[in-house]
Amino acid sequence: MQIDLVALIVDEYDPAIAFFTGVLGFDLVEDSPSLTNDGRPKRWVVVRPPGAQTGLLLARADGERQSAAVGDQTAGRVGFFLRADDFDGTYRRMVDAGVTFVREPRTEAYGKVAVFLDIAGNRWDLLSGPPR
């Protein structure tokens, strides 16, 4: 078994796609028209880091409860982890692209780490080195 997708609630599809593909360098795997359970139009949007098996399903918020969760899906904790072979180069590229880092890079026993916010405000760790 493997985890195929993780849903990430966003305000709008296109700015989220632009962030994940243009800023983070993910691949746009799918962007297809779809319908909600009650027949309203939506999109099925999947992005994935190059070469990764697990992707993100970018899900536009539908209703007040989901809108309230945008940017706070993990209650202010780091909930997503992006590992980069070239930590320093990736960090510089992200800073140059305007990504907000809430914790600057530091070195831990497991490698370098810095905390950044995605387009919705969710916290991510940017990590160096091979998986643990």
Side-chain angles (χ1 to χ4, degrees):
M1 284 188 282
Q2 68 181 15
I3 294 175
D4 185 39
L5 297 172
V6 174
L8 186 69
I9 303 170
V10 297
D11 285 320
E12 292 294 335
Y13 296 113
D14 292 328
I17 291 169
F19 176 81
F20 284 100
T21 62
V23 174
L24 295 187
F26 287 23
D27 295 326
L28 178 60
V29 176
E30 186 173 359
D31 186 354
S32 303
S34 188
L35 297 173
T36 62
N37 290 336
D38 60 0
R40 290 175 291 121
K42 68 174 186 177
R43 288 159 62 185
W44 184 263
V45 177
V46 176
V47 295
R48 183 178 292 138
Q53 292 183 339
T54 302
L56 294 176
L57 172 68
L58 301 180
R60 186 181 64 202
D62 185 13
E64 289 181 32
R65 183 174 178 200
Q66 290 180 21
S67 291
V70 171
D72 195 29
Q73 291 193 173
T74 57
R77 293 186 59 113
V78 170
F80 306 94
F81 304 83
L82 183 63
R83 191 166 298 279
D85 292 332
D86 176 11
F87 179 92
D88 294 327
T90 301
Y91 174 78
R92 280 191 305 274
R93 185 177 51 75
M94 290 172 68
V95 168
D96 290 346
V99 173
T100 300
F101 278 85
V102 295
R103 291 205 182 92
E104 296 302 312
R106 67 185 190 278
T107 301
E108 297 290 344
Y110 52 84
K112 291 182 182 177
V113 61
V115 180
F116 70 94
L117 302 178
D118 67 19
I119 189 169
N122 295 296
R123 290 176 181 253
W124 290 64
D125 270 356
L126 174 63
L127 299 163
S128 69
R132 295 178 80 172

